[in-house]
Amino acid sequence: MHFDSRTQQALREAGLDADAVAAASDRVAELVDADADRLRAFFEPAGPYYSDMEMAHSATDRQEHATADVEVFTHGSDLRGYLSLDGWGVPVEGGRVLRTAGGSDAGSGSDAESGADAGSDDEETPVLVELSLGPTVHDRVRFARDPDEL
């Protein structure tokens, strides 16, 4: 079960039985696995990548990264891993797809979010992602292949 005890209690109080709570928990894990696959695919091609990461001594609000590589793994509702950028790296403590090539926003309840077939793979290719980065950065950072997507 990926829900903490308070969340489980709230779901039961909202009318879900134990089987429905377990099914929702399993669905959360499936969605996290799907996002991990999409994040890996986003960072798979060669750079450049662009981010809105704040960097010391930078006069611009958009950073260009010649190289980027992400290794992520999941456990239940957790997505963790490591991001390598231009010869340095940082732990990943979460991540999500914000927008796809088809224009769907991940938070809008799109077909891609619900698991339904919304169209071609090109339409579902992530163009804007967000990673929650750990020590040394401690921030949520958006990444795109096109700087105009930021």
Side-chain angles (χ1 to χ4, degrees):
M1 183 69 57
H2 308 297
F3 297 126
D4 64 35
S5 61
R6 289 185 190 106
T7 303
Q8 290 178 46
Q9 179 180 347
L11 291 170
R12 285 191 303 273
E13 289 172 3
L16 297 178
D17 63 15
D19 289 339
V21 172
S25 178
D26 291 344
R27 181 66 178 139
V28 168
E30 290 170 6
L31 291 171
V32 171
D33 285 341
D35 275 350
D37 289 342
R38 294 168 72 196
L39 290 168
R40 286 184 202 103
F42 174 82
F43 284 102
E44 190 172 280
Y49 295 87
Y50 301 90
S51 76
D52 64 356
M53 185 183 314
E54 289 186 25
M55 296 187 69
H57 312 293
S58 177
T60 181
D61 59 347
R62 292 183 188 157
Q63 309 305 322
E64 182 175 345
H65 308 280
T67 62
D69 185 41
V70 70
E71 289 293 326
V72 292
F73 61 90
T74 65
H75 179 73
S77 62
D78 291 333
L79 187 145
R80 303 266 189 243
Y82 198 77
L83 173 70
S84 299
L85 290 170
D86 306 325
W88 66 278
V90 61
V92 173
E93 298 178 346
R96 61 190 178 142
V97 174
L98 296 176
R99 189 173 7 210
T100 63
S104 65
D105 293 334
S108 67
S110 68
D111 288 342
E113 188 73 8
S114 67
D117 185 10
S120 72
D121 288 341
D122 287 343
E123 290 177 348
E124 294 308 314
T125 301
V127 295
L128 182 64
V129 302
E130 179 182 78
L131 298 177
S132 295
L133 301 179
T136 70
V137 176
H138 294 290
D139 200 2
R140 288 192 279 187
V141 178
R142 297 179 307 154
F143 291 88
R145 301 299 308 257
D146 177 347
D148 293 333
E149 289 290 339
L150 293 172

